[in-house]
Amino acid sequence: MRVVRFHAPGDVRIEDAPEPSPGPGDVKIRVRACSTCGTDVKILNFGHHHIVPPRVMGHEIAGEVVEVGADVSGWAPGDRVQVIAAIPCGVCGECRRGRMTVCPNQVSMGYHFDGGFAEYMIVPPNVLNVDGLNRIPDGLTFAEASVAEPLACVLNGQNLAGVGEGDDVVVMGSGPIGCLHVRLARARGAARVFLVDLNRERLDLAAGLVHPDAAICGSETDVVDAVLKLTEGRGADVVITAAAAGAAQEQAVQMTARQGRISFFGGLPKDKPVIALDSNLVHYRELTIVGANGSSPGHNKEALRLIAEGAVPVADLITHRLPLEGALDAFGIVARGEAIKVTIEP
Ligand SMILES: [Zn+2]
Ligand SMILES: [Zn+2]
């Protein structure tokens, strides 16, 4: 079969690999859609400390069951499934407290296990043990289902930041994650949602799809001023940074309303994790700053449901579909910010 395999930073090959056969606790799937994201570009360029090459990449996975291992029950060939990316252990102290996103024993598809940029893939017992294989509701395409994984992460972020009814929300970063944040905030009853990006073209592309109440280009205007003006000087109830930029996080703190919440949703580059934070703003305005680290199996289920019910449509966010052989082109399109979501259909 054909796979997209990471060998070393800058060395990702589209090549032949033996088709896997399922062990006793495994489920084998025919991958039908695996979406790409910024993480894939990061892996291509820098590798990842959890990836021992060669490793099939791809973690936003949807497909069809073709074979089940001897000890597996509840799944049969033909079942349409979505696979979680981050796999908690299910048994440690955090997992038992329901905090699966911060499980210290977490492993991931496409990192510790071969991922979805392949014709066939094994879903390991680790996924099945934590209820991480989800049935795709009727009427949902594989491509749409593959977006459940990033939406699950967005859902975790908005749960932690308490996005809700009547909130003015600022989303900084208009990539696929930013677009999902805009859509989910609307679904949760936000009053107004403002979208920010430094890149005018990318901002226009995103705004044309998700229609924020205002689109603010950070390279043309002072973002903090613009948000304060739009909110009658109050600031936003919630600011979400979906950009790997310390400056965005610093601005977020400046434009948040009293008792507002800030989600540092996107991580910063490893070599630049320190920002300048006016801690008196946090103190006097009673701000809450929260992080966000991936998603749990439960978030994936809820994300699939939100997509299926039409609360968070994603079909129009998939702007590019490419065959497996086009994976390297896909990474280029993602890296240049020319797309919202690029889905590989192996
Ligand atoms: Zn991703
Ligand atoms: Zn755990």
Side-chain angles (χ1 to χ4, degrees), residues 1 4 75 98 119 138 162 221 262 271 282 284 289 332 335 339 344:
M1 65 169 184
V4 179
W75 298 102
E119 290 176 69
D138 290 342
T221 10
I262 297 141
D271 55 340
V282 178
Y284 288 111
I289 300 175
I344 301 293

Side-chain angles (χ1 to χ4, degrees), residues 50 78 80 139 155 212 225 243:
H50 283 146
R80 295 172 358 109
L155 181 61
D225 278 354

Side-chain angles (χ1 to χ4, degrees), residues 71-132:
D71 301 340
V72 174
S73 60
W75 298 102
D79 287 346
R80 295 172 358 109
V81 292
Q82 181 260 348
V83 187
I84 58 169
I87 313 163
C89 75
V91 294
C92 73
E94 303 304 342
C95 284
R96 277 188 281 113
R97 288 176 177 85
R99 302 171 186 159
M100 286 188 157
T101 53
V102 289
C103 169
N105 310 317
Q106 183 184 290
V107 288
S108 303
M109 298 306 298
Y111 294 71
H112 306 79
F113 302 99
D114 279 338
F117 295 144
E119 290 176 69
Y120 294 93
M121 195 196 83
I122 293 296
V123 178
N126 311 54
V127 169
L128 301 171
N129 288 343
V130 294
D131 198 15

